[in-house]
Amino acid sequence: MEIINKIREHQEKEKQLEWRGTFKEYLELVKKHPHIAQHSHSRVYNMIKDAGVLEKDNQKMYRFFGEDIYGLEEPLEKLVEEYFHSAARRLDVKKRILMLMGPVSGGKSTIVTMLKRGLEEYSRTDAGAVYAIEGCPMQEDPLHLIPPHLRDEFYDEYGIHIEGRLSPLNMMRLEKEYGGNIEDVMVERIFFSEDKRVGIGTFSPSDPKSQDIADLTGSIDFSTIAEYGSESDPRAYRFDGELNKANRGIMEFQEMLKCDEKFLWHLLSLSEEGNFKAGRFALISADELIVAHTNEAEYQAFINNKKNEALHSRIIVMNIPYNLKVSEEERIYEKMIAGSDMADVHIAPHALRTAAIFSILTRLKVPKNQTVDLVKKMKLYDGEELEGFKDQDVEELKKEYQDEGMDGIDPRYVINRISSAIIRKDVESINALDVLRSLKEGLDQHASISDEDKERYLDFIAAARKEYDEAAKKEVQKAFVYSYEESAKTLMDNYLDNVEAYCNKNKLKDPLTGEEMSPDEKLMRSIEEQIGISENAKRAFREEILIRISAYARKGKKFDYNSHEHLREAIQQKLFADLKDVVKITTSTKTPDESQLKKINEVTARLIDEHGYNSVSANELLRYVGSLLNR
């Protein structure tokens, strides 16, 4: 079986990565490849950086997060540069607990999961290789074997800082198993694995009465006390707590602020000094990235409690807000649907985008600039170009509120309502109206939505529907115009002839009489006004078209209907306006004649073939647009 062969291939590759040797041989490796001795924060930063960094519009975009996190480029850049990069450079940030704070379903857990899964893969690469003292339950750094008084000399020779002291267990093993000969201590390559509890730990709060601190720091193995004679013998201790097992990697505290206080005390010395107390031993060194996540309400309650001041000063909070871009929100829904049992359901074009418009509107704060409404702000955030606005205006809008995106409708709610729409409709096709109807009905069932918020959200559903109405009309417009493609090309040629005469201050010849006549200003303006070209801007627009035609001619290319996007859109809208009565009659008549039926079939076929509809959703769209045009 092919799957068996692939499993064997994978196992062979894993074996090839294995390495075992003495500490002396390990030092030779370190001299050749100093990066294998990097600390946990540096390893995480390099893992993210090595995956690739793109820069677009002065914004860094990390490929590491690219396939799973959408629309959070700015928070992620802040997280990587202000925390991981600084910590990798051994700045004081390294001594702080990373706290991701944000609303539910905002991506906090996804980010942590990606870091954990990423480390598992990265430890299997040359750049992310990790080595440990063989047989150590805490996969301890072999460099801890270097005595403290020789570490300055080691740095001078190797350029590597050594932090932490040898653990009580390995100190005893060094004496009893190796007779104090450090160079003979065996070292092995390890591979991070959350399942095998190597380098990745996860701690979840539960009932404080039943949860034991041993879950974090390990516990005494009473069955061995008779053998070793003392509870303080490190061989009689199980170093199997989450802090032990997360050494050299990452430690996740799920809902950290829900933990009982006794579980948080250990984090004080671990974050600041890089060690913690376990059993009847000296402090145990640990090198691990501690990352926690919480919501804003719990965090505010935490910092308002004076008893938490010491821990609060050791936390760096990074806001992880909701995505605020409609196009990225749509991608989130597509991803969630693709991973569900709804993947085979036909979702008509614009359905997810309409839901995304509603979601984003609930997350935005009203601009202080009264000339900008929420819908305009939403479009600007999504990268749309609006007349009268520049990139600088968008940046000013983003600076108005530091906590924008920290509340509103979460993606899971939307997906739940889409699921409800599919079940209720009982067909394998839903459209934007089905989704909006389901979102509206769901507001009454959402316990955490106040009456005040509900009123606002109903307004946002109305705004989302208005945007959909325009999109639906445009969709049908395009399908009809394509059916009149020759008319569109003729109209464009006519416009271009007039533009050329206007710009060159020439006259046109009447094709029938041969008389000279001035450029048809009424025709040109009727087309230009379709895309908002003002009277003052008409000359610049026409000259820009003429320059484009000349550029095409120089390259030996023909300027045609698809050569200028804005002009094509204007021609389509003009033609659609002229055909509006035809469209209205064709889409709304209950008993179409033969020519109307032919036109409907042509338009339906184009909607299916080129716009992503199926027969059900295409006919629903035509009926709906017909009703809109008849209002």
Side-chain angles (χ1 to χ4, degrees):
M1 291 175 65
E2 187 179 352
I3 189 66
I4 298 298
N5 291 331
K6 287 185 176 180
I7 291 171
R8 285 174 182 163
E9 284 177 20
H10 175 72
Q11 290 171 338
E12 284 301 317
K13 286 180 182 177
E14 291 283 293
K15 284 181 180 178
Q16 290 171 14
L17 294 175
E18 292 175 0
W19 184 91
R20 182 175 183 271
T22 63
F23 181 65
K24 184 179 179 181
E25 292 169 327
Y26 171 70
L27 287 181
E28 292 173 4
L29 268 183
V30 171
K31 198 145 196 171
K32 289 180 185 176
H33 311 289
H35 67 270
I36 65 176
Q38 63 188 325
H39 56 81
S40 58
H41 292 75
S42 175
R43 187 174 292 108
V44 170
Y45 173 68
N46 286 325
M47 171 185 71
I48 296 169
K49 183 168 65 71
D50 289 351
V53 184
L54 301 175
E55 194 150 334
K56 184 180 179 183
D57 301 327
N58 296 320
Q59 178 74 63
K60 286 185 177 178
M61 303 171 73
Y62 303 93
R63 290 184 186 275
F64 180 84
F65 298 105
E67 296 303 314
D68 290 277
I69 303 290
Y70 304 126
L72 295 181
E73 290 82 11
E74 291 178 23
L76 287 174
E77 181 177 2
K78 187 176 180 183
L79 171 65
V80 173
E81 295 303 320
E82 293 188 16
Y83 184 79
F84 290 129
H85 192 184
S86 300
R89 295 288 188 89
R90 300 180 67 252
L91 295 173
D92 216 43
V93 173
K94 181 175 177 286
K95 299 178 180 180
R96 303 290 178 267
I97 298 165
L98 173 62
M99 172 78 76
L100 304 181
M101 182 174 72
V104 295
S105 192
K108 306 183 299 294
S109 299
T110 303
I111 290 171
V112 178
T113 300
M114 290 186 72
L115 292 173
K116 293 194 293 186
R117 296 294 85 79
L119 274 177
E120 288 180 339
E121 293 300 318
Y122 195 58
S123 68
R124 286 163 172 76
T125 66
D126 291 339
V130 190
Y131 295 80
I133 295 174
E134 186 181 63
C136 174
M138 285 183 60
Q139 53 276 343
E140 186 168 4
D141 187 348
L143 294 184
H144 285 182
L145 291 162
I146 303 288
H149 67 278
L150 294 177
R151 292 183 178 182
D152 288 340
E153 293 180 36
F154 181 83
Y155 176 76
D156 293 339
E157 184 177 351
Y158 287 81
I160 295 170
H161 289 279
I162 302 175
E163 298 175 359
R165 292 177 174 269
L166 197 62
S167 67
L169 176 63
N170 285 320
M171 198 175 290
M172 177 175 281
R173 289 180 64 204
L174 175 62
E175 294 302 322
K176 292 189 177 293
E177 293 180 27
Y178 297 101
N181 295 319
I182 291 175
E183 66 272 21
D184 295 333
V185 174
M186 296 306 296
V187 175
E188 64 181 346
R189 183 174 178 180
I190 61 168
F191 306 99
F192 288 156
S193 168
E194 185 170 24
D195 293 338
K196 295 179 180 178
R197 303 186 73 217
V198 178
I200 298 176
T202 304
F203 185 80
S204 300
S206 60
D207 182 3
K209 294 179 181 178
S210 60
Q211 195 164 28
D212 194 338
I213 198 68
D215 292 349
L216 273 183
T217 61
S219 60
I220 296 169
D221 184 354
F222 289 101
S223 66
T224 62
I225 292 176
E227 181 182 353
Y228 298 119
S230 170
E231 292 183 13
S232 59
D233 190 309
R235 293 170 298 178
Y237 196 83
R238 292 195 188 100
F239 292 90
D240 60 357
E242 294 303 317
L243 293 180
N244 307 108
K245 293 302 181 181
N247 189 32
R248 312 291 301 286
I250 187 169
M251 172 67 193
E252 177 191 8
F253 266 84
Q254 295 178 348
E255 302 297 340
M256 174 178 143
L257 301 184
K258 290 179 181 175
C259 288
D260 190 73
E261 289 179 357
K262 65 183 179 183
F263 294 100
L264 300 180
W265 292 334
H266 285 279
L267 302 183
L268 292 173
S269 63
L270 182 59
S271 58
E272 188 69 32
E273 306 297 337
N275 53 46
F276 63 93
K277 191 79 171 70
R280 300 178 181 182
F281 309 118
L283 291 169
I284 296 175
S285 296
D287 166 33
E288 51 199 81
L289 162 65
I290 304 172
V291 57
H293 39 90
T294 190
N295 59 53
E296 195 169 4
E298 286 178 350
Y299 180 71
Q300 289 300 327
F302 172 76
I303 62 174
N304 289 335
N305 186 342
K306 295 292 183 182
K307 290 164 60 178
N308 297 325
E309 283 183 356
L311 188 57
H312 178 220
S313 66
R314 289 168 170 82
I315 292 175
I316 282 188
V317 177
M318 290 287 172
N319 283 353
I320 306 295
Y322 283 132
N323 157 61
L324 297 177
K325 296 178 181 177
V326 171
S327 55
E328 296 296 308
E329 187 73 9
E330 192 176 1
R331 289 181 69 195
I332 292 172
Y333 301 155
E334 287 171 352
K335 176 193 166 190
M336 294 173 81
I337 288 170
S340 73
D341 292 337
M342 296 189 290
D344 59 339
V345 174
H346 175 77
I347 298 177
H350 305 291
L352 297 184
R353 182 170 181 82
T354 303
I357 288 171
F358 163 70
S359 297
I360 300 302
L361 288 174
T362 69
R363 300 169 188 173
L364 295 175
K365 292 186 180 291
V366 177
K368 294 175 183 177
N369 181 350
Q370 294 184 351
T371 63
V372 185
D373 60 26
L374 276 183
V375 173
K376 281 183 180 176
K377 184 177 185 179
M378 173 194 74
K379 291 180 178 180
L380 289 168
Y381 274 19
D382 202 34
E384 287 190 43
E385 292 183 6
L386 299 182
E387 190 174 354
F389 292 95
K390 300 176 182 176
D391 291 343
Q392 186 178 350
D393 299 317
V394 181
E395 292 305 313
E396 291 299 320
L397 284 171
K398 289 179 179 178
K399 290 176 183 176
E400 284 185 347
Y401 301 100
Q402 296 300 311
D403 61 342
E404 191 167 48
M406 295 296 281
D407 56 17
I409 289 293
D410 66 277
R412 288 192 191 120
Y413 170 78
V414 174
I415 292 299
N416 290 344
R417 297 315 304 165
I418 291 174
S419 302
S420 177
I422 291 169
I423 293 167
R424 183 173 59 251
K425 196 172 181 184
D426 198 29
V427 292
E428 293 190 351
S429 175
I430 61 167
N431 58 38
L433 296 177
D434 298 321
V435 173
L436 286 177
R437 195 178 300 113
S438 186
L439 287 169
K440 183 178 180 181
E441 291 171 357
L443 295 178
D444 291 327
Q445 303 166 23
H446 205 300
S448 63
I449 295 179
S450 66
D451 290 340
E452 183 182 350
D453 282 341
K454 183 182 173 184
E455 287 302 314
R456 286 195 309 118
Y457 291 175
L458 288 172
D459 289 339
F460 296 148
I461 286 175
R465 177 163 182 175
K466 186 177 178 183
E467 291 296 308
Y468 171 66
D469 288 351
E470 290 303 312
K473 285 188 283 187
K474 273 189 178 181
E475 200 91 277
V476 173
Q477 163 194 318
K478 286 181 181 178
F480 264 91
V481 168
Y482 276 127
S483 298
Y484 292 88
E485 199 161 350
E486 286 304 315
S487 303
K489 288 178 180 178
T490 302
L491 182 60
M492 191 192 78
D493 289 340
N494 196 1
Y495 173 79
L496 292 178
D497 288 342
N498 281 276
V499 163
E500 189 173 1
Y502 170 86
C503 291
N504 294 329
K505 298 180 180 178
N506 294 332
K507 297 281 186 179
L508 289 167
K509 279 190 177 182
D510 189 300
L512 295 177
T513 65
E515 293 181 23
E516 287 192 340
M517 56 185 185
S518 298
D520 190 341
E521 183 66 23
K522 186 177 179 182
L523 170 73
M524 290 187 287
R525 290 302 296 141
S526 70
I527 291 171
E528 291 157 356
E529 285 171 352
Q530 300 295 329
I531 52 173
I533 303 296
S534 66
E535 183 71 24
N536 293 332
K538 69 181 184 182
R539 173 173 286 277
F541 181 73
R542 293 169 187 176
E543 289 175 347
E544 191 266 327
I545 295 241
L546 213 58
I547 291 169
R548 181 79 67 91
I549 293 172
S550 299
Y552 268 63
R554 283 197 305 272
K555 295 175 182 176
K557 295 164 66 178
K558 185 184 177 184
F559 186 91
D560 61 21
Y561 182 63
N562 294 308
S563 300
H564 194 288
E565 185 180 346
H566 290 305
L567 178 58
R568 184 176 73 245
E569 183 184 350
I571 295 290
Q572 287 177 350
Q573 290 191 24
K574 166 64 177 166
L575 196 56
F576 186 65
D578 294 344
L579 292 169
K580 197 170 185 179
D581 289 338
V582 176
V583 176
K584 190 188 297 185
I585 293 168
T586 307
T587 56
S588 60
T589 183
K590 292 181 180 178
T591 55
D593 59 30
E594 189 177 339
S595 64
Q596 290 170 340
L597 191 60
K598 181 182 177 184
K599 183 59 62 183
I600 288 173
N601 290 336
E602 286 177 3
V603 172
T604 302
R606 193 166 292 277
L607 288 170
I608 293 170
D609 295 340
E610 298 184 16
H611 296 275
Y613 291 83
N614 67 1
S615 58
V616 174
S617 58
N619 282 299
E620 287 175 341
L621 176 72
L622 288 173
R623 284 197 297 273
Y624 181 62
V625 171
S627 70
L628 288 177
L629 294 175
N630 278 305
R631 286 177 186 174

